[in-house]
Amino acid sequence: MATTRFSVLDRSRVREGRTAAEALRDTVRLAREAERLGYHRFWVSEHHGVPGVAGSAPTVLAAAVAGATRSIRVGTGGVMLPNHRPLVVAEQFGVLEALFPGRIDMGLGRSVGFTDGVRWALGRGKDEADAFEEQVAELLGWFLGTSPTGVRARPAEGLTVPPFVLAMGEGAAVAARAGLPLVIGDLRDRDRMRRGIDRYRAGFRPSRWSAEPYVVVSGTVAVAATAEEARRLLLPEAWSMAMARTRGTFPPLPPAGEVEARVTTARERELYTAGLRGHVAGTEERVARELEALVAETGAQEVLVTTSTHDRAALLDSYRRLARVTGIGTAAPGA
């Protein structure tokens, strides 16, 4: 792992008993800690109308993160391009790059709103994702000044903001044809992830954005003093995901100590148990071995860690331990 970059994606999960405003401030505080520990990037995500996620405006949140840090790269994981006009996205990233030159990344996804109601409110349909490749080309054109409209994107035109494609399945082929770096997950379906990486590398066309394939694998990594403590980090997210799959909404993350005691249906229990599998979790020694194997298996140049849990102190400790076992920086214990 000596040459592998490690980065952080924080989804601004709301914790039970806390507010969305606190979740956003937690994200900014985590970014400062990630910078101190030596992580390469810090990205934020886009979700609309989800009770358990506060991050609905990723470029706005990225500006707050960049303003609170000094050197770590800041970006989005990602802006869901089908939800927006490419010109507006180009303008937003142009402003970010103008304010924080050389530190901004543009991670782009092809998902649309989570529910019919959200899609209606955004003025988008499910079929918008089918035009993702054309939307990416239009977006990059605004930075290059090649739009046939004669309109100029200010201040984006002429700036270089590295683009990334967040993908599984068809999105990997889009990244390959456009010659863009690929961010792919998740770790719970390794076979599918490997197929996507193979398809990406086989079809990659060099571009002005990337001369060769660049693969970022993304997923949950939890590190603690014991295997049981690491497992407890995973409980809140697994429970909330099970609720989302069965009740149609992602609720705030509950405390780990309360999760096991909650009454659930057989289907919810099945999904909850499945949600605990496939992650990289355990003691420092075990996580180091699993990450070495993951990097060797995928040939990834970077690992993007997306861990969420209710206990912020335990989460920060996990990131400190991960920094120590990967050797990315001087991971100071304590505060």
Side-chain angles (χ1 to χ4, degrees), residues 58-72:
T59 53
V60 176
L61 184 53
V65 168
T69 54
R70 294 184 177 182
S71 59
I72 195 169

Side-chain angles (χ1 to χ4, degrees), residues 42-60:
F42 190 93
W43 282 6
V44 296
S45 63
E46 175 182 339
H47 296 273
H48 299 283
V50 181
V53 185
S56 57
T59 53
V60 176

Side-chain angles (χ1 to χ4, degrees), residues 41-125:
R41 311 179 202 275
F42 190 93
W43 282 6
V44 296
S45 63
E46 175 182 339
H47 296 273
H48 299 283
V50 181
V53 185
S56 57
T59 53
V60 176
L61 184 53
V65 168
T69 54
R70 294 184 177 182
S71 59
I72 195 169
R73 296 197 64 86
V74 176
T76 55
V79 165
M80 296 299 121
L81 198 50
N83 291 338
H84 311 280
R85 292 301 307 162
L87 170 60
V88 175
V89 175
E91 290 172 336
Q92 291 171 345
F93 278 98
V95 169
L96 285 171
E97 177 63 22
L99 290 172
F100 308 101
R103 292 181 56 203
I104 301 301
D105 299 322
M106 185 168 59
L108 307 168
R110 65 190 296 268
S111 296
V112 291
F114 181 61
T115 65
D116 289 339
V118 169
R119 289 189 290 272
W120 178 87
L122 291 170
R124 295 293 186 265

Side-chain angles (χ1 to χ4, degrees), residues 5-194:
R5 291 168 168 167
F6 284 83
S7 300
V8 176
L9 165 62
D10 191 65
R11 294 192 173 98
S12 304
R13 302 295 204 208
V14 179
R15 292 179 287 158
E16 212 171 77
R18 308 286 183 174
T19 66
E22 288 175 298
L24 295 171
R25 295 188 188 104
D26 284 342
T27 292
V28 175
R29 282 192 287 266
L30 180 58
R32 292 197 190 104
E33 181 69 359
E35 179 176 70
R36 186 184 75 83
L37 292 170
Y39 286 94
H40 183 61
R41 311 179 202 275
F42 190 93
W43 282 6
V44 296
S45 63
E46 175 182 339
H47 296 273
H48 299 283
V50 181
V53 185
S56 57
T59 53
V60 176
L61 184 53
V65 168
T69 54
R70 294 184 177 182
S71 59
I72 195 169
R73 296 197 64 86
V74 176
T76 55
V79 165
M80 296 299 121
L81 198 50
N83 291 338
H84 311 280
R85 292 301 307 162
L87 170 60
V88 175
V89 175
E91 290 172 336
Q92 291 171 345
F93 278 98
V95 169
L96 285 171
E97 177 63 22
L99 290 172
F100 308 101
R103 292 181 56 203
I104 301 301
D105 299 322
M106 185 168 59
L108 307 168
R110 65 190 296 268
S111 296
V112 291
F114 181 61
T115 65
D116 289 339
V118 169
R119 289 189 290 272
W120 178 87
L122 291 170
R124 295 293 186 265
K126 288 184 178 181
D127 57 350
E128 297 286 342
D130 297 336
F132 179 64
E133 188 164 10
E134 291 75 17
Q135 293 161 349
V136 170
E138 180 185 341
L139 173 61
L140 299 181
W142 289 116
F143 287 93
L144 300 174
T146 58
S147 171
T149 64
V151 176
R152 316 298 285 270
R154 308 292 188 190
E157 186 175 319
L159 298 180
T160 299
V161 181
F164 296 73
V165 171
L166 283 64
M168 287 290 280
E170 175 58 26
V174 171
R177 288 191 291 268
L180 302 181
L182 174 71
V183 182
I184 190 165
D186 63 47
L187 302 181
R188 290 173 295 181
D189 193 342
R190 302 289 179 91
D191 289 340
R192 186 184 180 198
M193 183 178 68
R194 284 193 301 267

